[in-house]
């Protein structure tokens, strides 16, 4: 058995204190280092009782007493972790174990070591605490970890990832079947981001749609980074999946609501300008007839103009009735689409601007043989025709009677309408980008408002179509509408 000087010189360097215990008398002697740690024991009480009542944390009293009794009864081994209060009144962790001896002599003496393990215990608690927070955070945020061993083609999921994907705890995903956990329309995207990360070390953070083991689709936020070995070779990919399905669906629903609101605002805007334009065309027509009445002398001619007033009044009433129908329907885009005849729509427009057509000696030619009707909103089609026809007449080439040619046809299963004129034309190099802008005018006509083409474009696009234009200055213009 080592003597006291040897024990002190060896153990104190390792922050290890000890007791020497006489097995026969249970007399205890503290080492100098132990006494330096906890202080001198009280002389009014036994060392053992003083230790139990003043040094040892109360949570370990019973277990230590039991272990000490076993030691003094000849137990070959004692080992337990305990907390001791030091002189600074702070508790520290120690491992308590007996020093074994192979010598046959001195079996009446036992040595009990107290090894300071406080730092390692703190580190252990820190690791456990961090792991606890990681686990709880992962559970609360539905965030699971994963690792792909790119060398051995193996995939590892933690418990949260398995839970997110509705997989049992013992489930092991097969590398060749990994794409089954991604939505069909997102598999190509998944392959791309993983391949770029594996081959080129490009990390990723993206939103992607996955599938559970049972086929339920949901949204996740996937984050991945390459893992390198000492030779800076990519050997794997590590990352997390976060279930964002509820938030993503809320986001999509919100966007859908915004789109609906935007569409409704667009329809409301279009409706307001349809009202303005339609009523203005009728009022202009009426004003023109009144002016002609004041300038016409023969009674017969005046009577003909009065007949025109009657027609204008009737057309105005019909226009207001149709506009009122739009107001009373909440879902214009779906419920108001109906079979719309091009000839009928053109007849309505020509009747509303008959005086303008007569005054300018305009000729309107139509060819609807290839496409007689479409599923559309009648009021929108009439407004489109009205804007383009009145524009063609307003911007006629001086000294040339306006001729307007309207044709419909099918191409690649799409419906088209072209409206061509022989008017002044537009310099598209100069004005092309502003062609359909609001309040944009390209000629010096006093009645140009710069709103008609803007309305027309909005109406066409609101119903999913498009409009384009070709024009040559002093030759004419053609508007092409794809429905």
């Amino acid at each position: 058995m080592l003597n006291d000087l040897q024990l002190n010189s060896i153990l104190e360097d390792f922050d290890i204190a000890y007791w020497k215990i006489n097995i026969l008398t249970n007399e205890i002697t503290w080492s100098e280092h132990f006494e330096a740690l906890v202080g001198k024991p009280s002389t009014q009480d036994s060392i053992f009782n003083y230790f139990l009542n003043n040094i040892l944390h109360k949570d370990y009293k019973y277990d230590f007493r039991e272990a000490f009794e076993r030691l003094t009864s000849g137990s070959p081994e004692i080992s337990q972790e305990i907390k001791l209060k030091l002189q600074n009144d702070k508790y520290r962790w120690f491992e308590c174990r007996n020093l074994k001896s192979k010598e046959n002599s001195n079996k009446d003496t036992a040595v009990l070591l107290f090894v300071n393990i406080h730092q390692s215990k703190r580190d252990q608690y820190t690791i456990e605490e961090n792991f606890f927070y990681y686990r709880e955070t992962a559970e609360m945020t539905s965030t699971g970890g994963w690792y792909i061993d790119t060398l051995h083609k193996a995939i590892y999921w933690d418990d949260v990832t398995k839970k997110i994907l509705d997989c049992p705890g013992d489930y092991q995903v097969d590398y060749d079947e990994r794409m089954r956990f991604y939505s069909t329309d997102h598999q190509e995207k998944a392959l791309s981001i993983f391949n770029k990360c594996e081959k080129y070390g490009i990390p990723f953070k993206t939103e992607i749609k996955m599938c559970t083991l049972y086929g339920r689709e949901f949204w996740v936020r996937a984050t991945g980074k390459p893992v390198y070995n000492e030779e800076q070779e990519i050997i794997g990919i590590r990352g997390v999946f976060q279930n964002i399905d509820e938030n993503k669906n809320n986001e999509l629903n919100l966007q859908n609501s915004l789109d609906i609101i935007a569409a409704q605002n667009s329809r409301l805007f279009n409706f307001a300008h349809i009202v303005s334009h339609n009523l203005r065309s009728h009022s202009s027509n009426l004003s023109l007839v009144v002016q002609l009445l004041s300038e016409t002398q023969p009674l017969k001619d005046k009577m003909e103009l009065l007949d025109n007033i009657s027609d204008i009044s009737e057309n105005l009433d019909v226009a207001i009735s149709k506009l009122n129908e739009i107001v009373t329907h909440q879902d214009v885009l779906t419920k108001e689409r109906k079979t719309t005849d091009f000839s009928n729509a053109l007849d309505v427009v020509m009747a509303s601007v008959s005086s303008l057509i007569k005054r300018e000696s305009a000729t309107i030619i139509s060819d609807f043989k290839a496409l007689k009707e479409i599923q559309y909103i009648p009021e929108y089609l009439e407004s489109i025709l009205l804007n383009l026809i009145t524009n063609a007449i307003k911007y006629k080439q001086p000294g040339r009677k306006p001729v307007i040619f309207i044709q419909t046809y099918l191409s690649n299963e799409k419906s088209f309408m072209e409206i061509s004129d022989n008017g002044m034309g537009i310099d598209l190099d100069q004005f092309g980008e502003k062609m359909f802008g609001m309040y944009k005018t390209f000629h010096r006509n006093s009645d140009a408002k710069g709103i008609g083409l803007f309305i027309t474009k909005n109406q066409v696009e609101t119903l999913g179509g498009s409009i384009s234009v070709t024009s040559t200055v002093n030759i004419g213009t053609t508007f092409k509408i794809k429905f």
Side-chain angles (χ1 to χ4, degrees):
M1 177 72 69
L2 294 170
N3 59 42
D4 291 349
L5 289 176
Q6 289 173 317
L7 280 172
N8 277 318
S9 62
I10 294 173
L11 301 178
E12 193 169 337
D13 291 338
F14 295 94
D15 197 15
I16 301 175
Y18 68 90
W19 289 2
K20 286 186 68 176
I21 306 165
N22 188 315
I23 301 299
L24 300 178
T25 64
N26 287 349
E27 182 182 353
I28 301 172
T29 303
W30 288 0
S31 69
E32 292 180 3
H33 187 47
F34 190 87
E35 191 171 294
L37 290 172
V38 302
K40 291 185 178 182
S42 171
T43 57
Q44 298 178 354
D45 201 354
S46 71
I47 289 179
F48 186 74
N49 287 336
Y50 178 82
F51 174 79
L52 291 180
N53 295 325
N54 297 280
I55 307 301
L56 182 66
H57 193 282
K58 62 181 181 178
D59 291 346
Y60 304 95
K61 285 185 179 181
Y62 178 81
D63 290 338
F64 184 82
R65 187 191 298 273
E66 290 287 315
F68 186 81
E69 290 178 357
R70 289 198 304 273
L71 178 65
T72 56
S73 300
S75 175
E77 184 175 356
I78 175 176
S79 179
Q80 60 182 194
E81 294 178 353
I82 58 176
K83 280 184 178 180
L84 302 182
K85 185 168 70 173
L86 306 188
Q87 289 197 72
N88 59 7
D89 290 331
K90 293 183 179 180
Y91 283 96
R92 293 290 183 268
W93 280 98
F94 288 83
E95 181 185 359
C96 180
R97 64 173 183 265
N98 62 313
L99 180 65
K100 300 177 185 177
S101 175
K102 295 182 180 179
E103 300 177 13
N104 292 328
S105 59
N106 295 326
K107 285 190 174 181
D108 57 342
T109 302
V111 177
L112 195 59
L113 303 178
F114 293 86
V115 183
N116 190 334
I117 60 170
H118 189 73
Q119 186 59 47
S120 62
K121 200 70 175 176
R122 281 185 59 185
D123 293 342
Q124 178 185 342
Y125 271 118
T126 300
I127 293 172
E128 291 176 353
E129 186 178 53
N130 288 342
F131 181 74
F132 168 79
Y133 287 127
Y134 159 76
R135 186 177 62 249
E136 292 301 311
T137 301
E139 288 283 353
M140 289 189 336
T141 60
S142 295
T143 303
W146 51 266
Y147 177 73
I148 299 177
D149 183 342
T150 57
L151 294 181
H152 302 95
K153 305 301 181 184
I155 298 177
Y156 305 95
W157 292 343
D158 69 3
D159 291 340
V160 180
T161 295
K162 292 178 181 179
K163 183 177 180 181
I164 290 174
L165 295 169
D166 289 342
C167 295
D170 58 351
Y171 185 83
Q172 181 59 47
V173 60
D174 187 274
Y175 184 84
D176 294 330
E177 295 184 356
R178 64 194 185 283
M179 284 300 112
R180 66 168 292 191
F181 289 95
Y182 295 88
S183 173
T184 303
D185 52 339
H186 282 225
Q187 288 180 0
E188 185 176 345
K189 177 181 179 180
L191 280 172
S192 175
I193 60 176
F194 280 106
N195 286 340
K196 286 189 289 187
C197 190
E198 178 181 350
K199 293 180 180 179
Y200 310 111
I202 300 175
F204 59 85
K205 185 175 183 180
T206 186
E207 293 178 356
I208 195 168
K209 193 181 293 184
M210 297 188 72
C211 292
T212 66
L213 183 63
Y214 304 103
R216 178 179 61 84
E217 294 187 351
F218 66 105
W219 284 93
V220 303
R221 181 175 290 112
T223 302
K225 296 180 179 180
V227 177
Y228 296 90
N229 61 13
E230 294 179 356
E231 287 74 33
Q232 293 302 301
E233 299 170 332
I234 298 174
I235 59 173
I237 305 173
R238 179 179 289 113
V240 295
F241 290 137
Q242 182 183 12
N243 187 340
I244 60 168
D245 194 55
E246 183 177 354
N247 291 338
K248 187 66 176 180
N249 285 329
N250 289 340
E251 176 187 328
L252 293 175
N253 290 336
L254 177 60
Q255 185 59 52
N256 184 53
S257 297
L258 291 175
D259 291 342
I260 291 174
I261 292 171
Q264 289 174 339
N265 286 341
S266 177
R267 292 197 298 272
L268 181 60
F269 177 83
N270 286 334
F271 173 74
H273 285 288
I274 289 173
V275 172
S276 172
H277 261 56
N278 284 7
L279 296 186
R280 189 161 66 90
S281 66
H282 291 295
S283 63
S284 298
N285 209 10
L286 184 60
S287 297
L288 180 60
V289 173
V290 172
Q291 180 183 348
L292 291 175
L293 272 173
S294 63
E295 297 174 354
T296 302
Q297 295 301 325
L299 181 61
K300 180 181 178 182
D301 292 342
K302 287 182 180 290
M303 293 303 296
E304 289 181 0
L305 289 173
L306 288 175
D307 291 337
N308 285 339
I309 292 177
S310 177
D311 293 337
I312 293 171
S313 174
E314 183 179 345
N315 290 331
L316 178 60
D317 183 63
V318 170
I320 292 174
S321 298
K322 289 184 177 181
L323 292 171
N324 184 62
E325 288 178 8
I326 296 179
V327 175
T328 57
H329 285 76
Q330 295 180 354
D331 195 351
V332 173
L333 288 179
T334 56
K335 294 184 180 178
E336 282 296 313
R337 281 181 182 262
K338 56 187 178 182
T339 302
T340 302
D341 188 272
F342 283 102
S343 293
N344 292 341
L346 180 59
D347 288 343
V348 171
V349 171
M350 290 181 65
S352 67
V353 293
S354 59
S355 297
L356 177 63
I357 294 173
K358 289 180 181 179
R359 185 187 70 182
E360 302 298 338
S361 300
T363 301
I364 298 178
I365 304 168
S366 62
D367 180 3
F368 302 134
K369 292 192 296 294
L371 179 65
K372 296 182 179 180
E373 57 189 24
I374 56 170
Q375 294 297 314
Y376 215 64
I377 301 175
E379 291 77 13
Y380 272 30
L381 181 59
E382 292 168 13
S383 178
I384 292 167
L385 287 168
L386 175 66
N387 281 326
L388 296 180
I389 289 173
T390 53
N391 271 1
I393 297 175
K394 287 177 184 177
Y395 306 120
K396 68 175 185 175
Q397 181 69 13
R400 183 189 303 165
K401 293 182 179 180
V403 177
I404 303 166
F405 182 76
I406 306 172
Q407 180 183 19
T408 56
Y409 58 93
L410 288 170
S411 178
N412 296 324
E413 299 182 355
K414 298 291 184 180
S415 301
F416 291 87
M417 178 173 69
E418 291 185 6
I419 300 180
S420 303
D421 64 57
N422 63 343
M424 299 170 64
I426 303 169
D427 186 347
L428 295 180
D429 292 334
Q430 182 178 357
F431 302 112
E433 294 183 358
K434 303 176 181 179
M435 188 71 188
F436 297 98
M438 194 171 185
Y439 302 124
K440 302 298 181 182
T441 58
F442 315 107
H443 302 96
R444 296 182 179 180
N445 293 35
S446 60
D447 59 346
K449 304 299 181 181
I451 196 72
L453 291 181
F454 176 77
I455 295 173
T456 298
K457 183 175 186 293
N458 272 271
Q459 290 169 337
V460 171
E461 292 181 350
T462 296
L463 296 183
S466 62
I467 182 170
S468 59
V469 59
T470 58
S471 186
T472 303
V473 176
N474 298 326
I475 300 298
T477 302
T478 296
F479 288 92
K480 181 178 180 180
I481 297 172
K482 181 176 75 172
F483 294 103

